[in-house]
Amino acid sequence: MKNSIRERINQNSLFESRIECRFPRNMLLEPTNICNHSCLMCANSKGTKKRGIIDPEFAKRILKEAYDLGTREVGFYGMGEPLLDKNLEDYIAYAKALGYGYTYITTNGALLSKERAERLMDAGIDSIKFSINAANARDYQLIHGKDEFDLVMDNLVYADTMRKKRARKIALYISFVATRYTVSEEESFKIKYQSYVDDIVFLDCKSAGDMSGEISHYLSVKGKSPVSFKDDICPMIFNKLHITYEGYLSMCCDDLQNYLVVADLNKESLEAAWNNQYARGLRIRHLEHNLEGTRCFNCMNNCNETAEPLRSELAVIYDSKVWNKEHEIKERIDIWEKKM
């Protein structure tokens, strides 16, 4: 009978090194989980966790702790819209002053006014990615839930004009998550807007574990398909920090209800938290392919089975069988189809 991976860990330093990981070079620091849009493919609008904005003192402490431990790249976004935090530019400037080599955000762009774009660039931001998931105003309102397509595209064009006037390189990108209603517009969108950005990335609409039923039934282009990971292991739990606005360390960038939170960084140091018993335990389960009952299992298998949080006292519990946004999706699709 083969020894389990857990037993082999005690015999093989290679396995031990994979579980007790080097400190990551990259961190996502969530300014807020509040969002001004309600994208059909995003679970944020159905979340029941308290909404809030990160504490400025905590944000700067974590930036310093992470830098001292070896982190050199930081993205200022999470489950919400980062531009809703008026302190965002201060965090970017502070990170650059510490020595971070790469700072970046992902934004829907509606709040990226000329003034905010100038402030971000003055603060030292290295990259801005616009999340634009439709090619025209009608489809944009279907997907984003807001009639702000023209505003966002104007903001994109102005940001491009502004960055080209600066000596320092600032990258601009667009991500476009395609649904069955918008996938046919990918090529025309690329032709029209590719000159304003460094790259446009088109992604198929897939579930990350919280919306598998709704996305597969109503939105995905190819129907239900598993999310692909090399060796069926998610790399993020080994190489990336995810800090929530309330000060928790999560093992996932899409942890809406804190089911993959391993530590409260208000009570535990970042260094200790990264390799604590909960983080190590989840890495073991990935290496053993023993993820049933975790949110990771749902993400990797495109399903929404009942899951247990890693630390129930830090999570906001939900019922996976009734927790959905099917009604919202159907209603918006009906309105969109009537406008055809």
Side-chain angles (χ1 to χ4, degrees), residues 323-334:
W323 193 58
N324 65 69
K325 57 188 286 183
E326 181 177 3
H327 176 74
E328 177 187 348
I329 293 173
K330 289 172 63 177
E331 183 177 22
R332 275 163 58 178
I333 291 173
D334 287 344

Side-chain angles (χ1 to χ4, degrees), residues 48 58 109 133 152 227 259 302 317 319:
T48 60
F58 171 82
N133 305 302
V152 169
V227 180
Y259 269 49
N302 195 19
I317 308 300
D319 184 345

Side-chain angles (χ1 to χ4, degrees), residues 43-112:
N44 187 296
S45 61
K46 73 176 185 177
T48 60
K49 190 173 83 168
K50 182 180 178 181
R51 308 287 172 162
I53 294 176
I54 198 167
D55 176 72
E57 290 187 8
F58 171 82
K60 290 184 176 181
R61 175 173 70 81
I62 289 300
L63 284 166
K64 180 66 164 59
E65 280 190 41
Y67 184 82
D68 289 345
L69 291 165
T71 303
R72 293 297 180 268
E73 302 174 352
V74 55
F76 293 93
Y77 64 94
M79 294 302 299
E81 168 53 52
L83 292 172
L84 287 168
D85 187 345
K86 295 180 180 179
N87 295 312
L88 178 62
E89 291 85 352
D90 291 340
Y91 303 146
I92 292 168
Y94 182 73
K96 297 303 290 186
L98 285 172
Y100 280 89
Y102 188 62
T103 60
Y104 59 103
I105 64 169
T106 291
T107 172
N108 57 49
L111 299 176
L112 194 63

